[in-house]
Amino acid sequence: MRTPRKSNRTLFIGSTLAAAAMMFFGASGLRAADKKPAAPAKPAAAPKAPAAAGRGTPAAGRGTAAGRGTPAAAGRGAAAGRGGPAAAGRGPAGAPGRGGPAGARPGEARAGLSRSGAPRPAGERVSHTPGGGEIHRDARGQVRDVHARGMDIHHGPGGSRTIMRERADHSRVFSNRYGHGYIEHPYRFGGREFVNRTYYVGGVPYVRMYQPFVYGGIAMSVYAPGLFYAPAFYGWAYNPWAVAVAYSWGWAGNPWFGYWGAYFTPYPVYASPALWLTDYYVGQTLQAAYAEQAAALANAQPLAAPAPLTPDVKQAIADEVRRQVALENAEAAAGVQAAPDPGSSGIARMLADPTPHVFVVSAPLDLTSNFGECAATEGDVLQLNPGTPPNATAANLMVLASKGQDCVKGSVVQVGVADLQDMQNHMRETIDQGLGELQKKQGQSGIPAAPRAAAAPPVQTGYAAIAPPADPNVATELSAQTKEADSAEREVLSQDTSAGSGPEPVAQAAAPAAPPQDIIGWSEDQVKAAYGQQTKSPILAGAKKILYFKDVKVTFTNGKATDIDAN
């Protein structure tokens, strides 16, 4: 139940998270949490970068990209080594992650919006059946959403399907067509609301915690770490290693890696934990996506000639990884008994701060782009640039990398805020799992040994300690819901007598926001993708070039945008 968008932009260099030098245990805390969280008028100050473990020197990364500066970091060699379990920490590929206990049915939060906050596709029509069912069809007549027997059933790209139902006790069951998903139970800690999810993926149950949050009228859930590490470990994980190291993943013989191999190639050596975590993050995302459709893809040909993830895009992901590590370090500094503020730890901060942010798509999304509707799938990379209005229900992003020919690289897509939160949740969950792997592997398998203070085991957070236990019947209940959804959908569709009689169209939200104005540093291709057709011939003057669009003219110097004016 997610939404895709298009977006493209070159590598942004530097991270605003690493500001001034800080003492060994220094880390900026997040603002105090309100009893009933609300979207902040402006984000709390960005967390400072962790100090290097055991060094007492200023944190690395002030304005520099993670792991940059060593030639070895740029290489992309053959894959190797064996990966860990698929998708741990995120939940099933395609499982609906939106909406905490306050969530609404599709279209219910605001007329013309999906549950994620994105505008519903142009031309979509809704019809109702005598038995109380509700059907949303796209402009081509294809079924997109069905509401029946208290379940919301969403059809996404590539045949994906997700099902959600809220039960009488306010617990929720999310499942997909493969019987994977999670069961969610609400609880309270320190006067704050939490939800505890028991995931079931690949035959393995596991638990994660989240906090309900509302932004722009859209309900979502913000990830809350179950464990915090020592400050020295976050510093070690944030800063570059003294010497670049070779690492073998062991993915070469795995079917998922063969299928996605033309798109994703791990680095042969790693100059920093952030680069290692980047390959771990992307690898886990693609591995989970393949696992969801393993039977269908077992005999499939490798993905047809996608444009591969480039070093600059991977570096942009690594920069984002470091920001998320710094964020968790700041949360940990408040202590394990403090509940993180979802307004400062989630998408609300990312939408309001002046830093570009990168997301890796974690489940199939139907999006609206500047070229029409398109689909983004797991592993595609989107970039959010500053300028989203406060409390917006959706944001414009640029596609930095795409495996398919749909939401193509360089296009601008509109993504609902809840979908962005899902992607950030997936990022933080996977990074946390990767941090656990790094701590276990430090001093072996090529990973440098961490200082003694960084080797301390993580401590469980207070809200994790009192969370409800894992749901013992998760596998059975998810499977049963998937089967019931099959029956309910057949029943509702058989009762739909209005499909050909022109049901009333769904109310449409406002048109996508205008292309962003803060385009300094963009390439010509990026600007053209954002602003569309040129209105007259460009002007060339030495190293400068001026392009004219409907409302603006953009000046480029040596191929990069340096000025924008009204046309």
Side-chain angles (χ1 to χ4, degrees), residues 82-498:
R82 193 155 296 300
R90 141 165 100 96
R98 290 198 282 290
R105 292 199 293 111
E108 192 171 290
R110 191 174 300 178
L113 298 179
S114 67
R115 285 183 62 245
S116 76
R120 301 195 70 87
E124 185 176 80
R125 305 181 78 83
V126 63
S127 57
H128 296 83
T129 65
E134 180 177 301
I135 303 167
H136 290 255
R137 298 177 185 272
D138 63 21
R140 298 169 297 175
Q142 300 297 310
V143 174
R144 297 287 287 270
D145 293 289
V146 172
H147 180 70
R149 300 184 194 172
M151 293 179 288
D152 292 316
I153 305 166
H154 175 73
H155 293 262
S160 63
R161 188 184 70 163
T162 53
I163 306 114
M164 183 279 288
R165 171 160 55 191
E166 181 171 343
R167 301 185 292 197
D169 63 354
H170 300 297
S171 63
R172 290 188 168 200
V173 183
F174 295 80
S175 61
N176 63 17
R177 69 167 63 253
Y178 307 104
H180 295 160
Y182 58 82
I183 298 178
E184 175 181 281
H185 293 275
Y187 72 103
R188 296 184 70 82
F189 171 80
R192 301 289 296 274
E193 294 182 357
F194 282 81
V195 293
N196 180 64
R197 294 178 182 173
T198 301
Y199 283 96
Y200 184 76
V201 179
V204 179
Y206 57 91
V207 174
R208 294 289 184 270
M209 280 67 63
Y210 303 82
Q211 293 188 82
F213 187 69
V214 176
Y215 184 86
I218 303 299
M220 60 190 77
S221 296
V222 178
Y223 172 68
L227 302 169
F228 283 140
Y229 293 89
F233 180 71
Y234 289 117
W236 179 78
Y238 182 91
N239 289 280
W241 286 320
V243 178
V245 299
Y247 185 82
S248 177
W249 292 96
W251 290 335
N254 289 339
W256 74 267
F257 186 72
Y259 185 78
W260 302 118
Y263 180 69
F264 168 60
T265 302
Y267 294 106
V269 294
Y270 294 92
S272 71
L275 293 172
W276 188 94
L277 287 167
T278 293
D279 277 350
Y280 181 87
Y281 170 35
V282 176
Q284 290 289 301
T285 302
L286 293 174
Q287 187 174 356
Y290 185 91
E292 284 297 301
Q293 306 178 63
L297 297 178
N299 299 314
Q301 295 296 317
L303 197 64
L309 278 174
T310 58
D312 62 334
V313 172
K314 290 183 69 176
Q315 183 62 59
I317 299 172
D319 292 342
E320 190 64 54
V321 166
R322 294 173 82 236
R323 281 190 283 271
Q324 300 301 318
V325 170
L327 172 62
E328 186 162 312
N329 177 61
E331 293 175 342
V336 294
Q337 295 303 316
D341 176 10
S344 290
S345 62
I347 193 63
R349 173 198 292 277
M350 301 172 81
L351 288 168
D353 73 23
T355 304
H357 290 281
V358 173
F359 299 86
V360 175
V361 176
S362 54
L365 301 175
D366 294 307
L367 300 176
T368 301
S369 80
N370 54 334
F371 299 122
E373 288 188 55
C374 67
T377 55
E378 297 95 326
D380 291 354
V381 183
L382 312 178
Q383 181 165 294
L384 170 71
N385 294 308
T388 301
N391 291 308
T393 60
N396 286 343
L397 285 83
M398 300 187 74
V399 179
L400 294 184
S402 172
K403 301 179 304 304
Q405 301 301 313
D406 205 351
C407 286
V408 295
K409 179 177 180 178
S411 55
V412 177
V413 293
Q414 201 171 34
V415 185
V417 292
D419 287 323
L420 292 174
Q421 184 60 64
D422 286 348
M423 285 186 265
Q424 193 222 6
N425 287 344
H426 166 54
M427 181 187 303
R428 291 199 64 182
E429 293 160 4
T430 310
I431 289 172
D432 276 356
Q433 181 178 301
L435 289 173
E437 291 294 312
L438 272 178
Q439 191 178 60
K440 287 190 296 186
K441 295 176 184 294
Q442 55 94 18
Q444 55 184 298
S445 303
I447 302 298
R452 181 174 298 179
V459 180
Q460 189 177 38
T461 56
Y463 49 82
I466 70 160
D471 198 305
N473 301 314
V474 59
T476 301
E477 293 190 50
L478 293 176
S479 178
Q481 176 164 287
T482 298
K483 291 177 181 177
E484 184 178 359
D486 293 340
S487 171
E489 194 164 19
R490 285 195 299 268
E491 177 183 289
V492 168
L493 293 176
S494 70
Q495 297 174 354
D496 183 16
T497 59
S498 62

Side-chain angles (χ1 to χ4, degrees), residues 17 22 25-30 45-49 326-327 329-334 349:
L17 286 178
M22 51 187 300
F25 289 102
S28 62
L30 299 178
K48 296 178 183 178
L327 172 62
N329 177 61
E331 293 175 342
R349 173 198 292 277

Side-chain angles (χ1 to χ4, degrees), residues 69 80 516 545:
K545 183 177 184 179

